[in-house]
Amino acid sequence: MNVFRSIFNNTLAPITPGPSSSNTCGPARIGLVSQYILGGIPQRAVVEYDTEGAFPSTLYGMKSDIGFINGLLGKDQNAPDFTAAYENAKQAGMTVSFAQVDDLKVGGLETARLRMTSQEGEEMTVVGESLGGGAFRIHLIDGCPVEMLGTSWELLLFVEKEAPEALRARADRLAGELPHLNQVDCVTGDRYSLINLKGAKPFPDPFLAGLKDQPGVRRVCVIPPIHPAVYDKTRTPPFETAAELIAYCKEHQCSPARAAIDYEMAVTGWSEGEVRSYGETLIGIMEDSRKKGLRSQMQFDGILLPKAGTIRQGLASKGLPSLGLLDDAVVSALGIMEHSNAAGKIVCVPTGGSSGIVPGLLVSFAEQMGLDHDRLFEGLMVSGIIGVLMMVDGNEFSGGAHGCQAEVGCGTAMAAAGLVQLLGGTAKQACGAASMALQSLMGLICDPVAGLVQVPCLARNMTGVAIAAVAAETVCAGFDVFLPLDEVSRAMVKTGTMIPNSLTTLCSGCCLTPTSCRVTAERAG
């Protein structure tokens, strides 16, 4: 299927409890789709993950276990009782266990195999991968290769095993009855044949009812979109690179915010009112997470204590030289990250591990300068479109795949571009500021101590705010960044692919210090 990038699906997204989009939200979505495929809450489930992947070090610290359980219970990542997953599973009569294996080589570092037994005793296995930023891919259903991304309406038709020609003919007949189809796939595995129809709109009830009466049909399964914006292959974006964004703004004599809104309307089919309404929802969540993150009584598990409120008071009362805007912005970024660590609801921009940078900077700036939500929305949209344009060569904002440069680095670039919009800058300046920020963090590795989104993640969000502010203001003042954002984005991805050759992903850098080794051992013991 063609690559579909949306601001509200991929960069100002997902909306989720913290602490991690790839390790908390991604598993919740994989579990939810697996539950849909099975047809209900399983009686038993075993979640397997490879010993050489990321989950051995992050499964519990980043609440991946809770994510998987909630999904298997049929709950999305924003269920109000998200953290009560184990108790809810017990009450539902569902037994869940987790196991390391050495034979799961499909996909990347955050891949899991879910072995499920239905309430009727039917066994089914689903393999899914968390890609980063809440994105995911279902790779296999009982060994049948599929590509399910949660961006379409999915129809799975399980039929008795058929010859490839007969199966394709059946699939083509079904496709002929449906408008708005994105893709039709069919495959035969060891147990059955499978037809997968991907639609831009819901499947009509009469069509679904007729499927059950067709010869050889074992089961019909409909899976709704998981992401907020649904893919439609007939829609095309107005631009796809930073250079094209700059050209678009020049041709239409518009701001980068106007171009970002035009882009999102084009790829989602939403009206401008719907785009602005969703953006207002995001702003509300960001402001709420900032407010709650500054409360002194907040608590979370881990190796650090919440400090945002204390630091805010210290900066105001200890006679330290003022950092100007940063006095509030860096503390806001920390507070949002600490709220995330307490499993509070956040907007990942573009990931949970970098969720404090964009709102920390832009919300603080808008508040200090007396800007209304319309202006803040415009800044956020520019942050979002810059994130979309950085999704090149496989970049899904996964720290496990490309290092923290793909999380904090990209989040910092997005914040710099958004601040340029608030400062009244041009698309060229927004792209330049993003390039400068990403250059400053090129090669940053992912090394969360004790498998938590705390050290060095909290510190990196605060310093990311400072880098973004410097990049935005100096570029608007005339600094020549020299390297185009398109080139720097590709260089970042290439650098990320080389990082695992010299460093063990997710167990390097800060993780190898004596203090880190000690606290990791203490938490494991």
Side-chain angles (χ1 to χ4, degrees):
M1 190 164 67
N2 293 333
V3 173
F4 170 58
R5 307 296 189 198
S6 156
I7 292 172
F8 294 147
N9 280 2
N10 298 105
T11 60
L12 299 183
I15 301 169
T16 182
S20 171
S21 51
S22 63
N23 285 275
T24 311
C25 179
R29 287 173 162 177
I30 292 169
L32 178 59
V33 173
S34 298
Q35 188 258 6
Y36 279 131
I37 295 171
L38 181 67
I41 297 174
Q43 182 186 93
R44 295 186 302 278
V46 180
V47 180
E48 300 175 338
Y49 50 92
D50 198 82
T51 56
E52 296 180 357
F55 285 129
S57 60
T58 62
L59 183 74
Y60 299 106
M62 296 191 189
K63 297 180 171 59
S64 302
D65 57 331
I66 290 176
F68 280 120
I69 293 172
N70 271 284
L72 289 167
L73 287 171
K75 299 174 180 286
D76 68 21
Q77 72 265 17
N78 286 305
D81 54 352
F82 187 81
T83 57
Y86 281 95
E87 180 60 29
N88 288 339
K90 183 178 180 181
Q91 292 181 3
M94 181 178 74
T95 302
V96 182
S97 59
F98 298 88
Q100 294 188 38
V101 297
D102 58 10
D103 66 336
L104 183 55
K105 306 304 179 185
V106 177
L109 295 168
E110 294 173 339
T111 300
R113 180 167 56 212
L114 284 66
R115 298 187 184 276
M116 302 172 291
T117 304
S118 72
Q119 298 296 329
E120 295 73 31
E122 179 183 0
E123 295 185 350
M124 178 169 281
T125 300
V126 175
V127 175
E129 176 185 4
S130 179
L131 300 172
F136 68 95
R137 176 182 289 117
I138 301 300
H139 287 285
L140 297 167
I141 301 174
D142 286 337
C144 293
V146 294
E147 184 188 34
M148 301 173 64
L149 304 174
T151 55
S152 296
W153 286 88
E154 305 267 2
L155 171 61
L156 296 175
L157 187 66
F158 297 83
V159 300
E160 300 297 339
K161 292 177 68 173
E162 292 186 355
E165 298 81 5
L167 186 64
R168 171 50 64 179
R170 183 197 287 259
D172 290 343
R173 285 196 302 272
L174 295 175
E177 299 179 39
L178 295 170
H180 310 296
L181 275 185
N182 293 326
Q183 186 171 325
V184 180
D185 297 318
C186 51
V187 64
T188 296
D190 293 335
R191 295 169 52 189
Y192 47 73
S193 294
L194 180 65
I195 295 174
N196 180 200
L197 305 178
K198 302 176 187 296
K201 294 186 177 181
F203 300 100
D205 289 337
F207 172 80
L208 296 175
L211 292 178
K212 298 176 182 178
D213 297 328
Q214 291 192 5
V217 172
R218 299 173 59 170
R219 191 159 67 88
V220 178
C221 175
V222 175
I223 303 171
I226 305 300
H227 293 277
V230 181
Y231 172 63
D232 185 337
K233 70 177 183 180
T234 65
R235 303 191 191 109
T236 57
F239 49 84
E240 297 185 78
T241 67
E244 291 174 359
L245 165 64
I246 295 170
Y248 182 91
C249 290
K250 184 177 180 180
E251 177 185 353
H252 295 270
Q253 297 184 335
C254 67
S255 70
R258 179 69 258 171
I261 295 168
D262 290 348
Y263 177 97
E264 195 67 0
M265 290 170 61
V267 299
T268 64
W270 293 8
S271 68
E272 181 167 344
E274 289 172 321
V275 170
R276 289 185 177 273
S277 176
Y278 194 84
E280 185 68 26
T281 297
L282 299 181
I283 290 172
I285 295 169
M286 290 176 176
E287 290 180 334
D288 184 65
S289 63
R290 175 174 174 253
K291 178 181 178 180
K292 291 179 178 176
L294 295 174
R295 292 177 179 174
S296 58
Q297 69 269 29
M298 185 179 62
Q299 297 180 348
F300 54 77
D301 295 330
I303 56 178
L304 295 180
L305 296 175
K307 290 290 186 181
T310 301
I311 293 172
R312 189 184 203 185
Q313 293 176 357
L315 290 174
S317 63
K318 293 189 177 181
L320 299 171
S322 175
L323 297 174
L325 163 67
L326 297 181
D327 279 341
D328 185 71
V330 296
V331 175
S332 295
L334 176 60
I336 291 168
M337 284 294 294
E338 290 182 341
H339 177 66
S340 172
N341 268 274
K345 184 185 292 188
I346 55 169
V347 179
C348 301
V349 274
T351 70
S354 60
S355 59
I357 304 169
V358 169
L361 181 60
L362 301 192
V363 173
S364 294
F365 181 88
E367 185 177 274
Q368 289 193 21
M369 300 304 294
L371 304 181
D372 60 21
H373 274 195
D374 285 342
R375 292 286 303 280
L376 178 55
F377 165 76
E378 291 176 350
L380 287 173
M381 290 301 289
V382 173
S383 293
I385 194 60
I386 290 298
V388 167
L389 300 180
M390 289 191 292
M391 297 184 73
V392 297
D393 299 342
N395 177 28
E396 297 274 1
F397 309 117
S398 170
H402 294 117
C404 194
Q405 59 172 0
E407 296 197 38
V408 165
C410 289
T412 301
M414 291 168 61
L419 183 56
V420 167
Q421 171 66 36
L422 296 184
L423 293 169
T426 65
K428 183 176 180 180
Q429 290 171 329
C431 293
S435 173
M436 178 177 170
L438 196 54
Q439 290 175 44
S440 302
L441 294 167
M442 186 77 71
L444 190 64
I445 62 174
C446 182
D447 53 350
V449 172
L452 300 165
V453 191
Q454 294 181 12
V455 180
C457 315
L458 303 186
R460 287 177 178 176
N461 273 253
M462 289 190 286
T463 54
V465 163
I467 291 171
V470 169
E473 296 209 15
T474 56
V475 167
C476 286
F479 181 71
D480 184 4
V481 177
F482 190 70
L483 296 177
L485 177 60
D486 292 324
E487 295 182 15
V488 176
S489 296
R490 287 190 162 81
M492 183 273 293
V493 176
K494 185 175 181 180
T495 299
T497 60
M498 294 186 290
I499 285 176
N501 293 331
S502 56
L503 298 170
T504 302
T505 306
L506 294 173
C507 189
S508 52
C510 295
C511 292
L512 299 181
T513 62
T515 297
S516 173
C517 293
R518 175 178 57 79
V519 299
T520 301
E522 289 173 354
R523 287 182 60 83

